[in-house]
Amino acid sequence: MSTLPRVNLLPESAFERMAARRLRRGFVAAGVVLMMLVGGAWAYQHVRVAEADKLVAIEAAKTSRLTSQTQRLQPVRVYVDGVAVQVLTVQTAMADDVFLSEVLEGIQDATPVGAELATVAITMTGRPVPADPAAPAAVAVPASACPGPDPFNTRVVVGCVTLAGTAASRAEVGEMVVSLGKAGLFVEPFISTTTTGESDEVSFSGSVGLSEKVFSGRYAPEKPAGES
């Protein structure tokens, strides 16, 4: 079967125009798609910005409300701070609070049955404060205020108890000195004078220092958990 010859009657310029028209249509379609993508992205960002603005407005309103509440509570804060200052003042003033009842009980327990105390005077001097922070703590009470048995080897004391009374014998006086020396509240008991009367009754006088164990610590600041 024979085929008929094909004859192109259109000029070459017509084909060029058709190709250019197809390109323009393609560019227009691509431009429309691009515009749609840009418009969608812009709309999405606009929605996100609007939501962010709403969140900012909500947080700003919350901040304003909290600021107002803080301002109303400011007098309470001032009051609490004032109470804290007063607490610190009381703790500082009462840091040297002493168990005087335990001191008197300790002296009474150390007194032999046959002895009787006529006078008991307690003088507190406070905690020892060394002159040089790098040096060991100095003796809080001078030897003349509360003398011990060894004036060249004094120990730290925070107070002094002077005693005077009578005993059946010097042995009882010595027993009292030993008992005071064994008690943790007392330091360096020392009987300065003993006098024997006509009935062999012994009058004595002396002193004993107080150790730092006499401080109650009831008003000391509480230590944080974990600290010893």
PDB file of all heavy atoms in Angstrom, residues 111-149:
ATOM      1  N   THR A 111      27.914  18.221 145.792  1.00  0.00           N
ATOM      2  CA  THR A 111      28.096  18.548 147.216  1.00  0.00           C
ATOM      3  C   THR A 111      27.863  17.296 148.065  1.00  0.00           C
ATOM      4  O   THR A 111      26.797  16.665 147.982  1.00  0.00           O
ATOM      5  CB  THR A 111      27.109  19.649 147.636  1.00  0.00           C
ATOM      6  OG1 THR A 111      27.305  20.791 146.794  1.00  0.00           O
ATOM      7  CG2 THR A 111      27.344  20.052 149.082  1.00  0.00           C
ATOM      8  N   PRO A 112      28.826  16.888 148.884  1.00  0.00           N
ATOM      9  CA  PRO A 112      28.642  15.707 149.750  1.00  0.00           C
ATOM     10  C   PRO A 112      27.498  15.896 150.736  1.00  0.00           C
ATOM     11  O   PRO A 112      27.054  17.020 151.009  1.00  0.00           O
ATOM     12  CB  PRO A 112      29.990  15.583 150.469  1.00  0.00           C
ATOM     13  CG  PRO A 112      30.961  16.342 149.627  1.00  0.00           C
ATOM     14  CD  PRO A 112      30.179  17.457 149.005  1.00  0.00           C
ATOM     15  N   VAL A 113      27.035  14.789 151.291  1.00  0.00           N
ATOM     16  CA  VAL A 113      25.898  14.823 152.221  1.00  0.00           C
ATOM     17  C   VAL A 113      26.216  15.661 153.455  1.00  0.00           C
ATOM     18  O   VAL A 113      25.374  16.417 153.964  1.00  0.00           O
ATOM     19  CB  VAL A 113      25.503  13.390 152.623  1.00  0.00           C
ATOM     20  CG1 VAL A 113      24.365  13.409 153.637  1.00  0.00           C
ATOM     21  CG2 VAL A 113      25.125  12.573 151.405  1.00  0.00           C
ATOM     22  N   GLY A 114      27.440  15.569 153.958  1.00  0.00           N
ATOM     23  CA  GLY A 114      27.793  16.293 155.172  1.00  0.00           C
ATOM     24  C   GLY A 114      28.169  17.739 154.938  1.00  0.00           C
ATOM     25  O   GLY A 114      28.464  18.453 155.904  1.00  0.00           O
ATOM     26  N   ALA A 115      28.203  18.198 153.678  1.00  0.00           N
ATOM     27  CA  ALA A 115      28.587  19.587 153.386  1.00  0.00           C
ATOM     28  C   ALA A 115      27.346  20.428 153.139  1.00  0.00           C
ATOM     29  O   ALA A 115      26.283  19.926 152.760  1.00  0.00           O
ATOM     30  CB  ALA A 115      29.512  19.629 152.178  1.00  0.00           C
ATOM     31  N   GLU A 116      27.496  21.718 153.365  1.00  0.00           N
ATOM     32  CA  GLU A 116      26.391  22.657 153.160  1.00  0.00           C
ATOM     33  C   GLU A 116      26.936  23.938 152.535  1.00  0.00           C
ATOM     34  O   GLU A 116      27.920  24.505 153.028  1.00  0.00           O
ATOM     35  CB  GLU A 116      25.700  22.965 154.482  1.00  0.00           C
ATOM     36  CG  GLU A 116      24.506  23.899 154.335  1.00  0.00           C
ATOM     37  CD  GLU A 116      23.824  24.165 155.663  1.00  0.00           C
ATOM     38  OE1 GLU A 116      24.188  23.500 156.663  1.00  0.00           O
ATOM     39  OE2 GLU A 116      22.933  25.022 155.710  1.00  0.00           O
ATOM     40  N   LEU A 117      26.311  24.371 151.469  1.00  0.00           N
ATOM     41  CA  LEU A 117      26.742  25.589 150.783  1.00  0.00           C
ATOM     42  C   LEU A 117      25.990  26.779 151.352  1.00  0.00           C
ATOM     43  O   LEU A 117      24.756  26.773 151.435  1.00  0.00           O
ATOM     44  CB  LEU A 117      26.480  25.474 149.275  1.00  0.00           C
ATOM     45  CG  LEU A 117      27.301  24.407 148.535  1.00  0.00           C
ATOM     46  CD1 LEU A 117      26.886  24.332 147.069  1.00  0.00           C
ATOM     47  CD2 LEU A 117      28.794  24.713 148.639  1.00  0.00           C
ATOM     48  N   ALA A 118      26.753  27.785 151.719  1.00  0.00           N
ATOM     49  CA  ALA A 118      26.141  29.007 152.244  1.00  0.00           C
ATOM     50  C   ALA A 118      25.868  30.015 151.134  1.00  0.00           C
ATOM     51  O   ALA A 118      24.830  30.688 151.143  1.00  0.00           O
ATOM     52  CB  ALA A 118      27.051  29.622 153.311  1.00  0.00           C
ATOM     53  N   THR A 119      26.787  30.144 150.209  1.00  0.00           N
ATOM     54  CA  THR A 119      26.608  31.089 149.094  1.00  0.00           C
ATOM     55  C   THR A 119      27.051  30.437 147.795  1.00  0.00           C
ATOM     56  O   THR A 119      28.038  29.686 147.756  1.00  0.00           O
ATOM     57  CB  THR A 119      27.428  32.380 149.310  1.00  0.00           C
ATOM     58  OG1 THR A 119      28.822  32.043 149.417  1.00  0.00           O
ATOM     59  CG2 THR A 119      26.969  33.119 150.566  1.00  0.00           C
ATOM     60  N   VAL A 120      26.311  30.731 146.746  1.00  0.00           N
ATOM     61  CA  VAL A 120      26.667  30.300 145.387  1.00  0.00           C
ATOM     62  C   VAL A 120      26.416  31.498 144.475  1.00  0.00           C
ATOM     63  O   VAL A 120      25.282  31.970 144.352  1.00  0.00           O
ATOM     64  CB  VAL A 120      25.832  29.089 144.921  1.00  0.00           C
ATOM     65  CG1 VAL A 120      26.184  28.735 143.476  1.00  0.00           C
ATOM     66  CG2 VAL A 120      26.062  27.895 145.829  1.00  0.00           C
ATOM     67  N   ALA A 121      27.446  32.013 143.844  1.00  0.00           N
ATOM     68  CA  ALA A 121      27.331  33.171 142.954  1.00  0.00           C
ATOM     69  C   ALA A 121      27.847  32.784 141.566  1.00  0.00           C
ATOM     70  O   ALA A 121      28.935  32.223 141.437  1.00  0.00           O
ATOM     71  CB  ALA A 121      28.103  34.357 143.505  1.00  0.00           C
ATOM     72  N   ILE A 122      27.049  33.082 140.562  1.00  0.00           N
ATOM     73  CA  ILE A 122      27.407  32.731 139.176  1.00  0.00           C
ATOM     74  C   ILE A 122      27.646  34.013 138.389  1.00  0.00           C
ATOM     75  O   ILE A 122      26.804  34.923 138.382  1.00  0.00           O
ATOM     76  CB  ILE A 122      26.298  31.901 138.508  1.00  0.00           C
ATOM     77  CG1 ILE A 122      26.028  30.618 139.302  1.00  0.00           C
ATOM     78  CG2 ILE A 122      26.672  31.556 137.069  1.00  0.00           C
ATOM     79  CD1 ILE A 122      24.862  29.807 138.770  1.00  0.00           C
ATOM     80  N   THR A 123      28.791  34.081 137.749  1.00  0.00           N
ATOM     81  CA  THR A 123      29.133  35.221 136.892  1.00  0.00           C
ATOM     82  C   THR A 123      29.420  34.697 135.492  1.00  0.00           C
ATOM     83  O   THR A 123      30.308  33.869 135.304  1.00  0.00           O
ATOM     84  CB  THR A 123      30.367  35.964 137.427  1.00  0.00           C
ATOM     85  OG1 THR A 123      30.112  36.389 138.771  1.00  0.00           O
ATOM     86  CG2 THR A 123      30.683  37.172 136.553  1.00  0.00           C
ATOM     87  N   MET A 124      28.658  35.190 134.495  1.00  0.00           N
ATOM     88  CA  MET A 124      28.859  34.779 133.101  1.00  0.00           C
ATOM     89  C   MET A 124      29.652  35.846 132.355  1.00  0.00           C
ATOM     90  O   MET A 124      29.429  37.044 132.541  1.00  0.00           O
ATOM     91  CB  MET A 124      27.517  34.565 132.402  1.00  0.00           C
ATOM     92  CG  MET A 124      26.674  33.444 132.992  1.00  0.00           C
ATOM     93  SD  MET A 124      27.512  31.837 133.003  1.00  0.00           S
ATOM     94  CE  MET A 124      27.870  31.639 131.251  1.00  0.00           C
ATOM     95  N   THR A 125      30.601  35.395 131.558  1.00  0.00           N
ATOM     96  CA  THR A 125      31.430  36.328 130.779  1.00  0.00           C
ATOM     97  C   THR A 125      31.244  36.160 129.285  1.00  0.00           C
ATOM     98  O   THR A 125      31.796  36.941 128.509  1.00  0.00           O
ATOM     99  CB  THR A 125      32.913  36.114 131.114  1.00  0.00           C
ATOM    100  OG1 THR A 125      33.256  34.753 130.821  1.00  0.00           O
ATOM    101  CG2 THR A 125      33.174  36.403 132.577  1.00  0.00           C
ATOM    102  N   GLY A 126      30.465  35.183 128.851  1.00  0.00           N
ATOM    103  CA  GLY A 126      30.229  35.000 127.424  1.00  0.00           C
ATOM    104  C   GLY A 126      31.252  34.099 126.774  1.00  0.00           C
ATOM    105  O   GLY A 126      32.201  33.618 127.393  1.00  0.00           O
ATOM    106  N   ARG A 127      31.037  33.880 125.494  1.00  0.00           N
ATOM    107  CA  ARG A 127      31.915  32.992 124.742  1.00  0.00           C
ATOM    108  C   ARG A 127      33.288  33.624 124.558  1.00  0.00           C
ATOM    109  O   ARG A 127      33.392  34.848 124.391  1.00  0.00           O
ATOM    110  CB  ARG A 127      31.316  32.664 123.375  1.00  0.00           C
ATOM    111  CG  ARG A 127      29.959  31.978 123.476  1.00  0.00           C
ATOM    112  CD  ARG A 127      29.395  31.676 122.103  1.00  0.00           C
ATOM    113  NE  ARG A 127      28.046  31.158 122.204  1.00  0.00           N
ATOM    114  CZ  ARG A 127      27.746  29.879 122.379  1.00  0.00           C
ATOM    115  NH1 ARG A 127      28.735  28.993 122.462  1.00  0.00           N
ATOM    116  NH2 ARG A 127      26.499  29.479 122.460  1.00  0.00           N
ATOM    117  N   PRO A 128      34.336  32.828 124.548  1.00  0.00           N
ATOM    118  CA  PRO A 128      35.684  33.377 124.344  1.00  0.00           C
ATOM    119  C   PRO A 128      35.859  33.902 122.931  1.00  0.00           C
ATOM    120  O   PRO A 128      35.417  33.283 121.962  1.00  0.00           O
ATOM    121  CB  PRO A 128      36.601  32.169 124.591  1.00  0.00           C
ATOM    122  CG  PRO A 128      35.742  30.990 124.310  1.00  0.00           C
ATOM    123  CD  PRO A 128      34.353  31.365 124.733  1.00  0.00           C
ATOM    124  N   VAL A 129      36.462  35.065 122.810  1.00  0.00           N
ATOM    125  CA  VAL A 129      36.728  35.677 121.502  1.00  0.00           C
ATOM    126  C   VAL A 129      38.220  35.910 121.397  1.00  0.00           C
ATOM    127  O   VAL A 129      38.767  36.770 122.096  1.00  0.00           O
ATOM    128  CB  VAL A 129      35.970  37.010 121.351  1.00  0.00           C
ATOM    129  CG1 VAL A 129      36.281  37.625 119.995  1.00  0.00           C
ATOM    130  CG2 VAL A 129      34.476  36.796 121.511  1.00  0.00           C
ATOM    131  N   PRO A 130      38.930  35.176 120.542  1.00  0.00           N
ATOM    132  CA  PRO A 130      40.372  35.364 120.419  1.00  0.00           C
ATOM    133  C   PRO A 130      40.705  36.707 119.791  1.00  0.00           C
ATOM    134  O   PRO A 130      39.974  37.212 118.940  1.00  0.00           O
ATOM    135  CB  PRO A 130      40.811  34.200 119.518  1.00  0.00           C
ATOM    136  CG  PRO A 130      39.587  33.857 118.737  1.00  0.00           C
ATOM    137  CD  PRO A 130      38.424  34.118 119.647  1.00  0.00           C
ATOM    138  N   ALA A 131      41.816  37.289 120.245  1.00  0.00           N
ATOM    139  CA  ALA A 131      42.248  38.559 119.661  1.00  0.00           C
ATOM    140  C   ALA A 131      42.674  38.388 118.218  1.00  0.00           C
ATOM    141  O   ALA A 131      42.437  39.234 117.374  1.00  0.00           O
ATOM    142  CB  ALA A 131      43.401  39.139 120.495  1.00  0.00           C
ATOM    143  N   ASP A 132      43.306  37.271 117.910  1.00  0.00           N
ATOM    144  CA  ASP A 132      43.752  36.978 116.552  1.00  0.00           C
ATOM    145  C   ASP A 132      42.912  35.830 116.005  1.00  0.00           C
ATOM    146  O   ASP A 132      42.934  34.738 116.567  1.00  0.00           O
ATOM    147  CB  ASP A 132      45.237  36.593 116.564  1.00  0.00           C
ATOM    148  CG  ASP A 132      45.769  36.356 115.157  1.00  0.00           C
ATOM    149  OD1 ASP A 132      44.995  36.544 114.190  1.00  0.00           O
ATOM    150  OD2 ASP A 132      46.960  35.989 115.024  1.00  0.00           O
ATOM    151  N   PRO A 133      42.135  36.033 114.910  1.00  0.00           N
ATOM    152  CA  PRO A 133      41.296  34.945 114.397  1.00  0.00           C
ATOM    153  C   PRO A 133      42.084  33.708 114.019  1.00  0.00           C
ATOM    154  O   PRO A 133      41.548  32.603 114.036  1.00  0.00           O
ATOM    155  CB  PRO A 133      40.632  35.575 113.161  1.00  0.00           C
ATOM    156  CG  PRO A 133      40.704  37.044 113.394  1.00  0.00           C
ATOM    157  CD  PRO A 133      41.979  37.276 114.171  1.00  0.00           C
ATOM    158  N   ALA A 134      43.367  33.870 113.680  1.00  0.00           N
ATOM    159  CA  ALA A 134      44.170  32.716 113.286  1.00  0.00           C
ATOM    160  C   ALA A 134      44.725  31.965 114.482  1.00  0.00           C
ATOM    161  O   ALA A 134      45.213  30.843 114.355  1.00  0.00           O
ATOM    162  CB  ALA A 134      45.324  33.165 112.382  1.00  0.00           C
ATOM    163  N   ALA A 135      44.634  32.588 115.659  1.00  0.00           N
ATOM    164  CA  ALA A 135      45.192  31.971 116.863  1.00  0.00           C
ATOM    165  C   ALA A 135      44.116  31.185 117.590  1.00  0.00           C
ATOM    166  O   ALA A 135      42.929  31.404 117.390  1.00  0.00           O
ATOM    167  CB  ALA A 135      45.769  33.049 117.781  1.00  0.00           C
ATOM    168  N   PRO A 136      44.502  30.242 118.468  1.00  0.00           N
ATOM    169  CA  PRO A 136      43.508  29.496 119.258  1.00  0.00           C
ATOM    170  C   PRO A 136      42.730  30.433 120.162  1.00  0.00           C
ATOM    171  O   PRO A 136      43.183  31.526 120.501  1.00  0.00           O
ATOM    172  CB  PRO A 136      44.366  28.514 120.069  1.00  0.00           C
ATOM    173  CG  PRO A 136      45.684  28.474 119.384  1.00  0.00           C
ATOM    174  CD  PRO A 136      45.875  29.808 118.718  1.00  0.00           C
ATOM    175  N   ALA A 137      41.547  29.996 120.567  1.00  0.00           N
ATOM    176  CA  ALA A 137      40.706  30.822 121.433  1.00  0.00           C
ATOM    177  C   ALA A 137      41.406  31.075 122.763  1.00  0.00           C
ATOM    178  O   ALA A 137      41.974  30.176 123.372  1.00  0.00           O
ATOM    179  CB  ALA A 137      39.363  30.127 121.681  1.00  0.00           C
ATOM    180  N   ALA A 138      41.330  32.308 123.206  1.00  0.00           N
ATOM    181  CA  ALA A 138      41.954  32.668 124.473  1.00  0.00           C
ATOM    182  C   ALA A 138      41.006  32.337 125.615  1.00  0.00           C
ATOM    183  O   ALA A 138      39.832  32.078 125.437  1.00  0.00           O
ATOM    184  CB  ALA A 138      42.288  34.164 124.497  1.00  0.00           C
ATOM    185  N   VAL A 139      41.538  32.316 126.839  1.00  0.00           N
ATOM    186  CA  VAL A 139      40.709  32.051 128.004  1.00  0.00           C
ATOM    187  C   VAL A 139      39.762  33.212 128.203  1.00  0.00           C
ATOM    188  O   VAL A 139      40.171  34.371 128.212  1.00  0.00           O
ATOM    189  CB  VAL A 139      41.596  31.847 129.250  1.00  0.00           C
ATOM    190  CG1 VAL A 139      40.729  31.656 130.485  1.00  0.00           C
ATOM    191  CG2 VAL A 139      42.509  30.653 129.048  1.00  0.00           C
ATOM    192  N   ALA A 140      38.453  32.918 128.371  1.00  0.00           N
ATOM    193  CA  ALA A 140      37.457  33.976 128.432  1.00  0.00           C
ATOM    194  C   ALA A 140      37.508  34.722 129.760  1.00  0.00           C
ATOM    195  O   ALA A 140      37.230  35.899 129.824  1.00  0.00           O
ATOM    196  CB  ALA A 140      36.065  33.396 128.212  1.00  0.00           C
ATOM    197  N   VAL A 141      37.839  34.010 130.831  1.00  0.00           N
ATOM    198  CA  VAL A 141      37.845  34.634 132.156  1.00  0.00           C
ATOM    199  C   VAL A 141      39.279  34.709 132.653  1.00  0.00           C
ATOM    200  O   VAL A 141      39.982  33.700 132.684  1.00  0.00           O
ATOM    201  CB  VAL A 141      36.988  33.814 133.137  1.00  0.00           C
ATOM    202  CG1 VAL A 141      36.966  34.471 134.499  1.00  0.00           C
ATOM    203  CG2 VAL A 141      35.576  33.682 132.596  1.00  0.00           C
ATOM    204  N   PRO A 142      39.759  35.883 133.046  1.00  0.00           N
ATOM    205  CA  PRO A 142      41.119  35.983 133.566  1.00  0.00           C
ATOM    206  C   PRO A 142      41.293  35.136 134.809  1.00  0.00           C
ATOM    207  O   PRO A 142      40.338  34.816 135.520  1.00  0.00           O
ATOM    208  CB  PRO A 142      41.267  37.478 133.879  1.00  0.00           C
ATOM    209  CG  PRO A 142      40.193  38.145 133.090  1.00  0.00           C
ATOM    210  CD  PRO A 142      39.076  37.169 132.982  1.00  0.00           C
ATOM    211  N   ALA A 143      42.523  34.773 135.086  1.00  0.00           N
ATOM    212  CA  ALA A 143      42.807  33.938 136.255  1.00  0.00           C
ATOM    213  C   ALA A 143      42.356  34.614 137.544  1.00  0.00           C
ATOM    214  O   ALA A 143      41.928  33.958 138.485  1.00  0.00           O
ATOM    215  CB  ALA A 143      44.295  33.618 136.319  1.00  0.00           C
ATOM    216  N   SER A 144      42.441  35.908 137.620  1.00  0.00           N
ATOM    217  CA  SER A 144      42.036  36.602 138.837  1.00  0.00           C
ATOM    218  C   SER A 144      40.536  36.545 139.057  1.00  0.00           C
ATOM    219  O   SER A 144      40.065  36.630 140.183  1.00  0.00           O
ATOM    220  CB  SER A 144      42.477  38.075 138.749  1.00  0.00           C
ATOM    221  OG  SER A 144      41.896  38.691 137.619  1.00  0.00           O
ATOM    222  N   ALA A 145      39.747  36.396 137.961  1.00  0.00           N
ATOM    223  CA  ALA A 145      38.293  36.340 138.091  1.00  0.00           C
ATOM    224  C   ALA A 145      37.813  34.956 138.480  1.00  0.00           C
ATOM    225  O   ALA A 145      36.827  34.806 139.205  1.00  0.00           O
ATOM    226  CB  ALA A 145      37.632  36.764 136.780  1.00  0.00           C
ATOM    227  N   CYS A 146      38.478  33.905 137.980  1.00  0.00           N
ATOM    228  CA  CYS A 146      38.099  32.535 138.321  1.00  0.00           C
ATOM    229  C   CYS A 146      39.367  31.693 138.363  1.00  0.00           C
ATOM    230  O   CYS A 146      39.686  30.984 137.397  1.00  0.00           O
ATOM    231  CB  CYS A 146      37.108  31.991 137.298  1.00  0.00           C
ATOM    232  SG  CYS A 146      36.198  30.531 137.865  1.00  0.00           S
ATOM    233  N   PRO A 147      40.128  31.761 139.432  1.00  0.00           N
ATOM    234  CA  PRO A 147      41.415  31.081 139.486  1.00  0.00           C
ATOM    235  C   PRO A 147      41.256  29.569 139.475  1.00  0.00           C
ATOM    236  O   PRO A 147      40.284  29.023 139.989  1.00  0.00           O
ATOM    237  CB  PRO A 147      42.017  31.569 140.812  1.00  0.00           C
ATOM    238  CG  PRO A 147      40.823  31.920 141.645  1.00  0.00           C
ATOM    239  CD  PRO A 147      39.808  32.449 140.699  1.00  0.00           C
ATOM    240  N   GLY A 148      42.235  28.906 138.851  1.00  0.00           N
ATOM    241  CA  GLY A 148      42.257  27.459 138.841  1.00  0.00           C
ATOM    242  C   GLY A 148      43.430  26.929 139.623  1.00  0.00           C
ATOM    243  O   GLY A 148      44.269  27.694 140.123  1.00  0.00           O
ATOM    244  N   PRO A 149      43.543  25.616 139.751  1.00  0.00           N
ATOM    245  CA  PRO A 149      44.652  25.037 140.533  1.00  0.00           C
ATOM    246  C   PRO A 149      46.009  25.248 139.879  1.00  0.00           C
ATOM    247  O   PRO A 149      47.025  25.228 140.567  1.00  0.00           O
ATOM    248  CB  PRO A 149      44.282  23.555 140.600  1.00  0.00           C
ATOM    249  CG  PRO A 149      43.377  23.325 139.438  1.00  0.00           C
ATOM    250  CD  PRO A 149      42.626  24.589 139.246  1.00  0.00           C
TER     251      PRO A 149
END
